[in-house]
Amino acid sequence: MRSAFHLAYNVRDLDDARAFYGDLLGCAEGRSTDTWVDYNFFGHQLSLHIGEPFSVAKTGLVGGVKVPMPHLGVVLPMDDWKFLANKLEQAKVEFLIAPSVRFEGEPGEQWTMFFFDPSGNPIEVKGFADFDAIFAS
């Protein structure tokens, strides 16, 4: 079965969102109006609407670190993850969790980074060397 998720959430400013999601993250812009814009978020449909972003709280405990819940995320192949991590570091993006490995040497070993879009929406990007390990336990 081939599928892609669709997620829609609020941002405060579409120009800021375009600069972040389009220019910085490299997501291709799709349809838009004066109040929303669609992006190809690494193969998934992300719709950003003008409005007040959802509230988040650091209530998710993963690897001993509290992370914001809810949050958006994507899992990338390691080469793509490293490329994006380097791009974000060069752009001086402020990280909640800087690019780093967790569960090293364990099933599900992954690289991760956490940051926020200009409206404060939390984003996690994971990198896996072996996609078969995504659901390993």
Side-chain angles (χ1 to χ4, degrees), residues 10-65:
N10 289 333
V11 294
R12 292 186 184 99
D13 185 284
L14 289 182
D15 290 334
D16 288 346
R18 282 184 164 103
F20 183 81
Y21 289 91
D23 298 338
L24 182 61
L25 295 184
C27 300
E29 185 172 325
R31 296 175 301 144
S32 67
T33 70
D34 292 343
T35 62
W36 58 265
V37 60
D38 281 344
Y39 278 98
N40 177 343
F41 186 79
F42 305 96
H44 305 282
Q45 186 187 45
L46 180 62
S47 298
L48 305 174
H49 294 255
I50 291 291
E52 190 58 31
F54 52 81
S55 62
V56 298
K58 292 182 183 177
T59 59
L61 186 60
V62 182
V65 176

Side-chain angles (χ1 to χ4, degrees), residues 30 32 34 39 44 48 54 68 74 88 100-101 107 118-119 124-125 129:
S32 67
D34 292 343
Y39 278 98
H44 305 282
L48 305 174
F54 52 81
V74 66
L88 296 175
S100 55
V101 66
S119 294
E124 178 182 22
V125 180

